[in-house]
Amino acid sequence: MNWGQLVFAQITRHLPLTTFRRCVARYGGEHKVKSFSCLDQYICAWPLLS
């Protein structure tokens, strides 16, 4: 049983998805992306950042 918050909830507490998607769109982060999106990279890198 999970007593704490999920990892995704912890991520979205610091940076809401709408803000993240707006930044990606503003700076062209998804340009020429084939399979591993910016959101996927951010979620995978989160344990390294914390």
Side-chain angles (χ1 to χ4, degrees):
M1 182 182 279
N2 183 11
W3 295 101
Q5 288 186 334
L6 297 175
V7 174
F8 193 72
Q10 294 173 14
I11 292 171
T12 55
R13 184 179 58 214
H14 291 285
L15 182 65
L17 284 179
T18 54
T19 305
F20 180 80
R21 288 191 174 123
R22 191 175 335 124
C23 291
V24 169
R26 179 179 181 181
Y27 295 107
E30 296 290 343
H31 181 69
K32 293 188 177 182
V33 172
K34 292 187 180 181
S35 62
F36 202 59
S37 69
C38 290
L39 183 60
D40 293 338
Q41 291 179 37
Y42 181 69
I43 291 172
C44 290
W46 180 254
L48 301 174
L49 300 174
S50 62

